[in-house]
Amino acid sequence: MTSAYIELNDAGILQAVNGEVINTSPAYAVMDKDRLMLGDEAQNNARLLPAWTNNRFWNKLNSDPIANATHNIRHHADLAFAHLEYIWQGLSKQADQVVIGVPGFYDTHQLGLLLGMAKEANIPVVGIVDSALAAIASETSHASLIHLEISLHRITLTQFQIDDDVTKINHINVAETGLITLWDRWASVVAQQFIQSSRFDPMYDAKSEQTLFDVLPAWISCDNNIFEMDIDGIKHSVQIPEDQLIHVGDSVYPKIAQAIADLSGSSGRTSLLVCY
């Protein structure tokens, strides 16, 4: 019996088979006429086709009508179903059963929607687990542990007490600001540096803007202050001061630090596990 694990962090829906990560799929959907693009393809076209782009469907999983509804896509649950079905197509030949890791903020209604979608897509779900609990499952050496998760649209903290059992003590939304907001702010910093150094504005044209956002996530996670992008065979590069990148999160960092301090204040020594 081969088991798969699907973790619903909308920055990248993680997919693993027998404990080995095989893929991630960002929670993006883009409609190009009658064609629905999902995952990486959608994210890579989000700036080229901004009129019908949605990346909130896992964060706001519900059946409320959406403003840009179509005959086939009426609400976020329709987009989530399409994405889940798309993910399962890549897993179905490799796995006989599936466990789904869900965000700690999902309520009973959202869990019901998720199970209904899995049933409709013929996905053999055998369990649902809090993704924070799954992440800390092997961290048995810590008496008190806080799990920090950053997704596209929010930052959350989950507190656990670990002794003979693992007990979930608390879960809070630190901020309704996630990676997508930070990416937008970092992109603005990069664009301004390009304009100041060479008068090249990567935000002026949809193609160059898309290229900037394609490069940005991997670049921001590496130790390199030179940002490079290739537009039609022409390489553009600029040096980005580190303090400007750090300054982008000034409105977020204190909230995270204060929330961690509030949760850990009465717990003695507390460990922090960061996932994104």
Side-chain angles (χ1 to χ4, degrees), residues 179-227:
L179 282 172
I180 198 161
T181 300
L182 295 175
W183 285 338
D184 283 343
R185 293 175 182 175
W186 284 322
S188 294
V189 169
V190 172
Q192 286 302 314
Q193 286 299 116
F194 268 121
I195 292 170
Q196 290 178 21
S197 65
S198 64
R199 296 188 179 181
F200 165 63
D201 183 2
M203 297 293 201
Y204 179 77
D205 176 77
K207 183 178 180 180
S208 60
E209 181 181 354
Q210 182 66 61
T211 301
L212 189 159
F213 277 89
D214 289 345
V215 174
L216 185 64
W219 175 80
I220 205 71
S221 64
C222 69
D223 186 19
N224 182 5
N225 65 348
I226 303 298
F227 187 93

Side-chain angles (χ1 to χ4, degrees), residues 129-148:
V129 62
D130 187 311
S131 57
L133 178 60
I136 65 104
S138 61
E139 303 292 330
T140 56
S141 60
H142 310 281
S144 178
L145 191 146
I146 294 174
H147 175 270
L148 167 63

